RNA sequence: GCGAGAAUAUCUAAGUGGCCAACAGAGGCAGACUCAAGAUCUGUUCCCGAAGGGGUUCGCAGGUUCAACUCCUGCUUCUCGCACCA
């Protein structure tokens, strides 16, 4: 007799699985699924577990359904993070070392080698494979690769050649966050502060000051007509510079920034802010305006000089008001120039006064500024004397004018500050040259992708909106890098292909990964891949025989059926890969991806899993502690894939008990020898339903739903079945078939236990390849199920009455409704018009004779019909069951259940008032 | 701020107009078995009830409907994404 011992089952199964899931083209229909490959920079936690177990369950399901399934895996090692990690380890950074030594438990001798980034990813790639195998993932490991393999690099080069030829790769300049100390662009994760800051474009409006220009940065160049003065900070020292040879006056900080933004900057002198105050500058369009003192002007914000438009900018309005209240500059009046509905003559004044704002410190100032900004931008129009154009048009025109006529430039600046690098230095905006882009901003390309997306299957359907939005939101993507691991950029070998951009068509590479290795990398020209993937013939192809084999693999497997990934990849990777597929396989619509399944996130004890915070539970530990099947079943059963799930050890523990219970039940009943009873037919009928529902659920990737049906659904039925069996019988020989079905339905979820039980059941071969159960329509009997439901409901009713009256019953009588009540029931259930149905019934003379009894019955039946599920009412009308026969047959069972004699009579024979309440499907119950 | 979702009993969670006091699991409580613990099994787990019933519920406030957990409107709260990074 088999004892429940998960780790023994696991060992048994692993032995048989070693090469079992290596998959080759065959005569069978294929099913190709894949998952976003991991970046192995650390150990796997249980959150990763689900990401890979869901596709495995699906893979196992389709394999059992007779498809040739390909489930490959590889490792993404390109990029910068591990380079940083290796540096930190080399620098003996305590926090990093603790993470790797203590949490990920990397042995010291290996940790010592982590100063080399490639060693890190190779170490964890091996670990990933080990843990994935421990989880029972049915992966074809022959196809494993890492993204710096020379052959893979060749494949990337081929892919990029196509992108380039399609005109999607472009060289350009690009503003980036830049640290002048590190002399490097700064990514989100390198920021101490300001990760939400965006780079925005300021127009510099040029005011002439003697022989130089003072540039004022603004987002609203169209308000130039309303400038009444400039603001300068009297406590700041400004510098005179030559910007590209032209004399300017800006803050010191601004001079440094401009130097990073494609300009030559030569500092020629200094001038104190206080020396500027009171002077006049000439307005670019007409006349002169004064420079006023303003301590609030931040030299580190854009040019360090501000133009004041008090009619439209609340800050300017208040600053001016403050000065005027001290009796200064009273001659200056706000000059309105934009008309916008609902903001009076002078919008800034109107808004400030309406809000009752007293001074610049008011916390509502920002919101107010934003409000006016938006209102004017969307609805505002310039006054006729200034051209009468909408704000959005005028803005462009003034910006244009400044650059054409006044040698103004665009200045990039953050929309909020401070932005601080990890090193503590302030981050600036730098324009990077020799930067290459993928033109995701290209409208035609977007449209191609959109057209294809519309034909794809997306699970869950809600994510479609997010994909749609991403496609149109994507802008050109900087696709080369200077640091990290990766493939050299073909058109500039000093740079590397950006890591997200090198992992977009690799699903096609899987189809040949194990074979392409046999060819020397240097022979892998673009022509070779053109032949394999596109069928393009060319002269002198090397190793033609091998290429043909690969071509065959590709044609057999591609396109992939489903790609699985966590939902945070929608806005980049998952959409990128569609762009790339559309280009590389242009003109071959049948090679484009067919579907995607997007997952939710993982929580640990209710909190987000995070390696850096130490809130992780390592997958390997989970498998060791609870067993692979337990981890699988828990992860699949606690939520549907696209929902967030929460890992809690207590719950996992009870999952293990469930598997044990399943194992023990199967072992108990599989060899039952009893003769089949009527209830066996019921059980068989129910089983077909569970087969159908489990299959449907897995068809739709609903792992939780499937598990509910396949595990709990069958278990509950089995309980009722065993309760219904005669005392001396512990099951019929037909239970063997039930066990066989049951074990197979659960095999995708708990394959280790599955393999073991399959052997115990003397099943043929491995359960991993056993045929998936198919519901047999001949075994389905709605009538038997309905009769059983009647019985179960009646038993429930009796139980609840017995409990309520707290009497020890001596006998139970079940009184059945007479035929005329069934007639009433049927008439009401089928009635079109609920209002006239009673009249209809009363047309019958025998009904009329019963008078009130009939009307009461009609009312009760109406209520009852509402309460019964449709699946009960419908058959009751079409093909009524013989209640007498049902209860007569169950008499023994009923008296056994309640320990008293049970009588079954027709209501009119009962001679008891209670009997009169009998209704169809709800017999009267008389307890004495 | 913008975009995409979510809110159901102690927890996880099913439920898209009448099957609903609401599937299932976990947990709690009571009981059986046991010397005992664990495991297992049974009952119970919003309130009331000595006859299968009644009452109040599914974030908050309204609305549509004979009928709403389910549809509509507004509000509140939460999660995810907003990129040059895997």
């Amino acid at each position: 007799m088999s004892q429940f011992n998960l780790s023994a089952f696991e060992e048994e199964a692993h032995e048989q699985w070693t090469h079992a899931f290596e998959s080759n083209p065959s005569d069978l229909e294929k099913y190709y699924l894949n998952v976003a490959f991991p970046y192995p920079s650390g150990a796997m936690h249980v959150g990763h577990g689900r990401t890979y177990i869901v596709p495995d369950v699906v893979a196992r399901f389709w394999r059992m359904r007779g498809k040739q399934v390909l489930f490959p895996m590889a490792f993404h090692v390109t990029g910068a993070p591990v380079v940083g990690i290796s540096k930190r380890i080399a620098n003996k950074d305590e926090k990093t070392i603790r993470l790797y030594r203590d949490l990920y438990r990397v042995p010291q001798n290996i940790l010592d080698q982590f100063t080399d980034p490639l060693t890190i990813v190779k170490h964890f790639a091996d670990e990933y494979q080990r843990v994935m195998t421990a989880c029972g993932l049915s992966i074809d490991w022959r196809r494993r690769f890492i993204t710096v393999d020379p052959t893979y690099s060749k494949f990337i080069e081929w892919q990029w050649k196509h992108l380039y030829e399609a005109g999607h790769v472009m060289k350009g300049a690009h503003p980036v966050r830049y640290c002048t100390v590190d002399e490097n662009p700064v990514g989100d994760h390198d920021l101490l502060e300001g990760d939400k800051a965006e780079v925005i474009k300021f127009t510099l409006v040029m005011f002439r000051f003697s022989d130089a220009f003072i540039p004022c940065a603004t987002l609203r160049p169209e308000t130039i007509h309303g400038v009444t003065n400039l603001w300068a900070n009297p406590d700041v020292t400004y510098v005179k510079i030559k910007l590209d040879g032209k004399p300017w006056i800006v803050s010191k900080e601004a001079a440094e920034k401009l130097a990073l933004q494609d300009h030559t900057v030569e500092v020629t002198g200094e001038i104190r802010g206080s020396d500027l105050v009171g002077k006049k500058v000439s307005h670019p369009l007409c006349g002169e305006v004064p420079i006023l003192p303003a301590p609030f002007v931040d030299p580190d914000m854009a040019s360090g000089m501000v133009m004041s438009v008090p009619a439209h900018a609340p800050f300017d309005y208040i600053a001016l008001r403050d000065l005027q209240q001290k009796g200064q500059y009273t001659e200056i009046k706000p000059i309105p120039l934009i008309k916008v509905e609902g903001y009076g003559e002078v919008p800034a004044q109107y808004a400030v006064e309406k809000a009752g704002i007293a001074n610049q410190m008011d916390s509502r100032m920002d919101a107010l500024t934003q409000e006016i900004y938006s209102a004017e931008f969307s609805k505002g129009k310039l006054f006729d004397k200034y051209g009468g154009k909408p704000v959005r048009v005028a803005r462009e025109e003034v910006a244009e004018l400044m650059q054409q006529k006044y040698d103004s430039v665009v200045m990039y600046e953050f929309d909020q500050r401070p932005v601080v690098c990890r090193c503590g230095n302030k981050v600036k905006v730098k324009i990077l040259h020799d930067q290459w882009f993928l033109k995701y901003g290209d409208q035609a390309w977007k449209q191609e992708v959109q057209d294809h997306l519309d034909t794809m299957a997306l699970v869950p359907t809600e994510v479609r909106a997010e994909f749609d939005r991403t496609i149109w939101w994507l802008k050109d993507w900087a696709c080369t890098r200077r640091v990290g691991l990766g493939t050299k950029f073909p058109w500039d070998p000093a740079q590397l292909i950006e890591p997200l951009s090198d992992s977009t068509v690799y699903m096609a590479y899987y189809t040949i990964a194990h074979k392409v290795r046999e060819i020397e990398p240097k022979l892998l020209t673009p022509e070779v891949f053109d032949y394999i993937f596109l069928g393009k013939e060319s002269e002198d192809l090397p190793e033609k025989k091998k290429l043909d084999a690969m071509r065959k693999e590709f044609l057999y497997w591609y396109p992939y059926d489903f790609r699985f990934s966590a939902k945070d990849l929608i806005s980049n990777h998952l959409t990128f890969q569609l762009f790339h597929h559309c280009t590389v396989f242009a003109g071959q619509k049948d090679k484009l991806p067919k579907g995607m399944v997007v997952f939710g996130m993982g929580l640990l004890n209710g909190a987000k899993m995070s390696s850096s915070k130490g809130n992780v539970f390592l997958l390997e530990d989970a498998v060791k502690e609870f067993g692979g099947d337990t981890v699988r079943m828990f992860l699949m059963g606690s939520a549907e894939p696209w929902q967030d799930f929460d890992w809690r050890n207590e719950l996992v523990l009870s999952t293990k008990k469930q598997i044990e219970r399943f194992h023990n039940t199967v072992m108990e009943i599989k060899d039952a020898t009893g003769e089949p009873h009527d209830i066996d037919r019921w059980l068989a009928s129910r089983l077909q339903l569970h087969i159908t529902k489990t299959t449907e659920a897995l068809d739709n990737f609903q792992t939780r739903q499937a598990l509910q049906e396949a595990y709990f659904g069958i278990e509950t039925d089995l309980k009722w079945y065993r309760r219904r069996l005669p005392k001396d019988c512990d099951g019929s020989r037909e239970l063997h078939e039930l066990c066989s079905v049951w074990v197979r339905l659960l095999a995708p979820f708990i394959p280790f236990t599955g393999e073991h039980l399959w052997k115990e059941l003397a099943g043929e071969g491995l359960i991993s390849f056993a045929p998936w159960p198919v519901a047999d329509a001949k075994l389905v009997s709605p009538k038997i199920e309905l009769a059983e439901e009647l019985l179960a409901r009646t038993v429930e009713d009796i139980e609840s009455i017995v409990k309520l009256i707290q009497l020890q019953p001596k006998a139970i009588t079940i009184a059945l409704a007479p035929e005329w009540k069934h007639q009433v029931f049927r008439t009401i259930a089928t009635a079109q018009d609920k209002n006239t149905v009673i009249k209809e019934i009363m047309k019958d003379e025998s009904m009329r004779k019963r008078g009130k009894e009939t009307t009461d019955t009609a009312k009760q039946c109406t209520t009852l019909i509402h309460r019964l599920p449709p699946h009960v009412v419908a058959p009751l009308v079409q093909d009524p069951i013989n209640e007498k026969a049902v209860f007569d047959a169950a008499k023994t069972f009923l008296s056994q259940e309640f320990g008293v004699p049970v009588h079954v009579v027709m209501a009119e024979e009962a001679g008891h008032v209670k009997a009169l309440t009998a209704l169809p499907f709800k017999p009267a119950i008389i307890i004495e």
Side-chain angles (χ1 to χ4, degrees):
Chain A
M1 176 85 180
S2 147
Q3 289 297 309
F4 181 71
N5 182 343
L6 256 185
S7 51
F9 299 169
E10 284 171 18
E11 223 169 286
E12 282 170 36
H14 282 310
E15 263 169 45
Q16 306 171 70
W17 286 349
T18 317
H19 294 289
F21 305 114
E22 294 173 358
S23 192
N24 297 312
S26 77
D27 294 335
L28 299 173
E29 207 179 310
K30 66 93 187 181
Y31 190 95
Y32 175 20
L33 78 174
N34 56 64
V35 52
F37 54 17
Y39 182 80
S41 65
M44 288 177 94
H45 55 68
V46 288
H48 296 114
R50 185 172 76 156
T51 310
Y52 307 110
I53 290 168
V54 172
D56 183 64
V57 169
V58 174
R60 288 177 173 277
F61 168 65
W62 285 103
R63 201 175 282 126
M64 290 175 75
R65 288 188 83 186
K67 297 231 181 170
Q68 188 72 10
V69 171
L70 175 59
F71 180 24
M73 187 64 64
F75 299 100
H76 190 215
V77 305
T78 37
V82 282
V83 175
I85 293 165
S86 66
K87 268 190 200 146
R88 270 176 266 145
I89 288 179
N91 294 337
K92 305 262 185 268
D93 175 74
E94 198 41 47
K95 211 176 141 199
T96 310
I97 289 178
R98 259 210 310 272
L99 179 66
Y100 280 79
R101 189 189 53 209
D102 303 340
L103 190 61
Y104 297 159
R105 294 199 292 270
V106 177
Q108 190 60 48
N109 60 328
I110 293 173
L111 192 61
D112 290 340
Q113 299 165 36
F114 272 14
T115 47
D116 169 38
L118 207 52
T119 308
I120 301 178
V121 284
K122 284 189 169 165
H123 170 81
F124 285 112
D126 287 343
E127 181 165 314
Y128 263 63
Q129 176 168 354
R130 208 182 64 237
V131 178
M132 284 174 165
T133 305
C135 288
L137 301 191
S138 55
I139 290 167
D140 180 351
W141 285 110
R142 294 172 307 166
R143 298 169 192 262
R144 166 183 160 169
F145 61 90
I146 63 174
T147 50
V148 291
D149 286 345
T151 42
Y152 185 76
S153 286
K154 288 289 175 187
F155 167 75
I156 293 296
E157 284 169 20
W158 164 78
Q159 175 192 338
W160 279 72
K161 179 172 165 276
H162 282 278
L163 291 167
Y164 186 83
E165 284 171 358
H168 296 318
V169 185
M170 285 281 188
K171 191 170 168 177
H174 181 53
V176 295
R177 290 188 294 229
Y178 191 81
C179 175
T180 46
V181 174
D182 292 351
E183 298 190 347
N184 238 327
V186 183
D188 255 358
H189 49 281
D190 293 325
L191 286 173
L192 276 184
E193 233 181 307
D195 58 330
K196 287 280 172 283
E198 277 183 59
V199 174
I200 44 179
K201 271 182 176 181
F202 280 97
T203 301
L204 296 181
V205 175
M206 312 300 280
F207 294 85
R208 181 174 283 279
F209 177 72
S210 72
D211 61 342
F213 276 108
I214 293 180
C216 293
T218 180
L219 292 172
R220 309 191 53 186
E222 77 280 6
T223 60
I224 184 169
H225 301 284
V227 174
T228 56
N229 60 283
L230 302 194
W231 298 114
N233 190 331
D235 303 327
V236 165
T237 302
Y238 289 83
V239 288
K240 298 178 175 174
I241 60 169
K242 284 233 161 90
L243 185 118
D244 301 328
K246 310 264 164 35
W248 285 23
I249 295 171
V250 294
S251 71
K252 227 169 156 173
E253 291 83 347
E256 284 170 22
K257 288 178 195 167
L258 286 164
L260 289 173
Q261 296 183 11
D262 260 1
H263 303 287
T264 59
V265 172
E266 186 193 339
V267 178
T268 56
E270 290 191 350
I271 181 164
R272 292 169 46 82
S274 50
D275 292 337
L276 288 170
V277 169
K279 305 274 168 45
K280 294 216 166 183
V281 293
S282 62
H283 188 283
L285 297 184
C286 63
E288 294 193 321
V289 293
I291 299 176
L292 269 46
F296 60 82
V297 170
D298 180 355
D300 195 25
M301 179 63 197
S303 63
M305 291 290 290
V306 174
M307 68 184 214
S308 169
V309 188
H312 295 280
F315 271 112
D316 294 338
Y317 175 77
I318 294 217
L320 183 63
R321 195 179 69 178
D322 287 355
L323 284 175
Q324 292 181 339
Q325 276 167 359
K326 289 189 229 156
Q328 298 173 309
Y329 310 104
T330 45
E331 73 287 358
I332 297 178
K333 293 272 175 296
I335 307 170
L337 68 146
I338 294 167
K339 185 165 170 39
V340 55
E341 206 69 34
Y343 283 91
E345 286 289 302
V346 183
Q349 179 180 6
Y350 178 87
V352 164
E353 283 170 4
K354 191 175 166 199
I357 287 172
N359 61 60
Q360 295 169 28
M361 295 303 135
D362 195 299
S363 58
R364 292 168 295 171
M365 286 297 283
D366 279 325
L368 210 60
T369 303
Q370 186 60 40
E371 181 192 325
I372 292 180
Y373 180 100
S374 317
E376 294 188 346
F377 182 70
S378 56
K379 297 182 291 188
K381 254 172 110 173
L382 263 61
F383 289 173
D384 286 343
K385 62 178 163 179
Y386 299 124
K389 297 201 170 133
V391 165
R392 61 180 81 211
V393 176
R395 180 171 298 175
E396 293 299 317
E397 286 183 0
V398 175
E400 186 78 357
L401 177 82
M402 281 296 132
Q403 289 180 40
Q404 300 290 318
K405 275 197 152 171
Y406 296 89
D407 296 320
S408 171
V409 298
V410 166
M411 180 168 185
Y412 293 95
E413 180 63 286
F414 298 115
D415 66 340
Q416 53 173 269
R417 278 157 315 125
V419 182
V420 183
C421 177
R422 239 186 220 173
C423 70
N425 191 42
K426 270 188 194 158
V427 177
K428 299 186 173 72
V429 180
K430 178 176 165 70
I431 295 186
L432 225 53
H433 285 273
D434 298 326
Q435 178 61 58
W436 291 77
F437 292 91
L438 274 167
K439 304 203 66 183
Y440 293 142
D442 184 289
Q443 297 294 308
W445 201 7
K446 284 176 192 286
Q447 191 59 53
E448 269 179 66
V449 175
Q450 179 75 60
D451 288 346
H452 176 63
L453 181 80
D454 291 345
T455 70
M456 286 182 75
L458 299 181
V459 180
T461 49
E462 290 80 40
V463 299
R464 186 173 293 280
E466 224 167 317
F467 273 105
D468 286 343
R469 193 180 152 274
T470 301
I471 290 175
W472 297 96
W473 162 81
L474 280 176
K475 297 187 272 286
D476 294 349
W477 175 263
C479 62
T480 53
R481 291 291 174 277
R482 283 165 179 78
V483 286
L485 302 175
T487 300
K488 280 182 182 149
F489 189 71
W491 300 276
D492 181 357
Q495 300 196 61
L496 300 169
I497 291 175
E498 183 276 327
L500 286 183
S501 315
D502 74 5
S503 310
T504 48
V505 195
Y506 69 95
M507 313 72 163
Y509 186 81
Y510 277 132
T511 65
I512 61 161
H514 55 315
K515 295 191 167 160
V516 73
R517 266 194 289 270
E518 295 167 13
I519 299 180
E520 262 188 88
K522 67 169 194 242
L523 295 177
L524 295 172
T525 58
E527 287 73 29
V528 167
F529 289 112
D530 273 347
Y531 179 70
I532 297 174
F533 294 119
L534 305 174
K536 241 188 248 169
E537 294 282 353
S538 54
E539 312 252 313
D540 303 326
L541 286 174
E543 309 256 22
K544 196 68 191 303
K545 225 168 142 189
K546 288 180 183 167
L547 300 194
D548 283 331
M550 287 190 263
R551 172 86 183 137
K552 193 179 146 211
E553 287 257 1
F554 173 73
L555 286 178
Y556 179 73
W557 296 115
Y558 231 61
Y560 67 75
D561 294 86
F562 276 97
R563 178 159 181 79
F564 294 67
S565 161
K567 69 177 162 194
D568 52 344
L569 293 188
I570 292 177
S571 65
N572 48 55
H573 166 74
L574 286 176
T575 308
F576 288 8
Q577 54 127 6
L578 296 181
F579 275 86
H580 290 221
H581 268 90
C582 282
T583 297
V584 171
F585 297 108
Q588 302 194 40
K589 285 218 173 347
D590 62 333
K591 292 289 174 280
L592 299 181
K594 285 161 80 172
M596 290 186 276
V597 181
V598 179
F599 293 158
M601 316 296 271
L603 302 176
L604 179 59
N605 297 322
K608 200 174 164 180
M609 277 188 229
S610 156
S611 305
S612 55
K613 289 191 189 117
N615 189 42
V616 287
F617 190 52
L618 296 193
L619 186 54
E620 187 166 27
D621 294 345
V623 171
K624 274 196 190 130
E625 187 173 343
F626 302 105
D629 276 348
T630 312
V631 169
R632 292 172 66 102
M633 181 153 150
F634 174 79
L635 289 173
M636 295 307 98
S638 62
E640 297 295 3
W642 38 89
Q643 295 168 324
D644 297 349
F645 74 94
D646 191 4
W647 178 280
R648 287 177 197 266
N649 279 358
E650 321 86 79
L651 300 188
V652 179
L653 213 56
S654 64
T655 303
K656 185 170 185 175
K657 283 184 211 159
Q658 285 163 352
I659 299 174
E660 180 168 8
R661 204 160 69 215
F662 163 68
H663 166 269
N664 293 345
T665 307
V666 169
M667 292 310 293
E668 261 168 51
I669 64 176
K670 74 183 173 73
D671 297 322
T673 51
E675 285 298 314
H677 291 76
D678 286 348
I679 195 65
D680 279 282
R681 294 180 57 200
W682 172 81
L683 187 64
S685 181
R686 294 282 301 175
L687 184 60
Q688 309 313 308
L689 178 79
H690 295 307
I691 294 174
T692 308
K693 289 207 164 168
T694 306
T695 309
E696 266 172 23
L698 277 178
D699 259 333
N700 296 317
F701 309 98
Q702 293 166 295
T703 56
R704 180 182 187 275
Q705 178 68 32
L707 216 38
Q708 291 275 338
E709 277 300 327
Y711 184 89
F712 300 107
I714 294 178
E715 192 188 43
T716 307
D717 284 351
L718 210 50
K719 256 184 216 169
W720 176 251
Y721 168 85
R722 297 224 254 180
R723 187 171 168 191
R724 288 278 278 119
L725 285 176
K727 262 207 170 117
D728 52 350
C729 178
D730 59 353
S732 80
R733 55 181 176 257
E734 294 191 8
L735 284 176
H736 189 269
E737 173 58 17
L738 175 126
C739 288
S740 163
V741 169
W742 200 12
V743 172
R744 278 178 289 155
L745 288 180
L746 286 174
F749 300 96
I750 48 171
F752 298 112
T753 309
E755 290 293 359
H756 176 81
L757 287 175
W758 190 241
K759 228 186 276 159
E760 292 286 333
L761 291 170
E764 221 171 280
L766 290 173
I767 198 168
S768 301
F769 295 88
W772 184 256
V774 179
D776 182 350
K778 288 198 297 292
L779 294 177
V780 179
S781 168
K783 203 152 180 182
I784 292 179
E785 289 188 34
L786 196 59
E788 206 56 30
E789 183 155 352
L790 169 62
L791 186 67
R793 278 170 180 264
T794 309
V795 167
E796 243 174 70
D797 279 352
I798 298 174
E799 280 174 342
S800 79
I801 297 169
V802 167
K803 201 177 302 146
L804 203 61
I805 60 175
Q806 297 189 352
L807 270 181
Q808 201 45 250
K810 292 191 185 64
I812 297 173
T813 305
I814 293 172
L816 305 173
E819 173 53 27
W820 68 267
K821 287 197 179 177
H822 284 268
Q823 258 177 46
V824 172
F825 182 93
R826 283 195 294 272
T827 312
I828 293 175
T830 50
Q832 303 291 328
D833 186 347
K834 307 271 183 248
N835 299 318
T836 57
V837 67
I838 301 224
K839 257 190 214 157
E840 198 64 34
I841 292 168
M842 284 307 186
K843 274 186 191 157
D844 186 306
E845 173 145 10
S846 58
M847 293 290 182
R848 210 165 32 218
K849 252 202 269 176
R850 290 193 189 90
K852 187 159 182 306
E853 208 186 345
T854 305
T855 47
D856 284 351
T857 301
K859 271 182 214 152
Q860 290 158 358
C861 282
T862 310
T863 319
L864 183 63
I865 287 166
H866 269 221
R867 289 200 175 169
L868 288 174
H871 78 259
V872 167
V873 177
L876 275 183
V877 171
Q878 283 158 19
D879 186 11
I881 48 177
N882 183 342
E883 297 190 355
K884 185 84 167 61
V886 169
F887 284 106
D888 277 340
K891 249 190 200 164
T892 330
F893 161 68
L894 289 170
S895 28
Q896 193 181 297
E897 277 287 304
F898 297 104
V900 293
V902 173
H903 310 287
V904 179
V905 296
M906 296 311 292
E908 55 267 38
E909 299 157 10
H912 194 289
V913 271
K914 283 235 172 290
L916 299 177
T917 62
L919 288 174
F921 217 71
K922 197 168 177 56
I925 296 161
I926 302 153
I927 296 173
E928 291 152 309

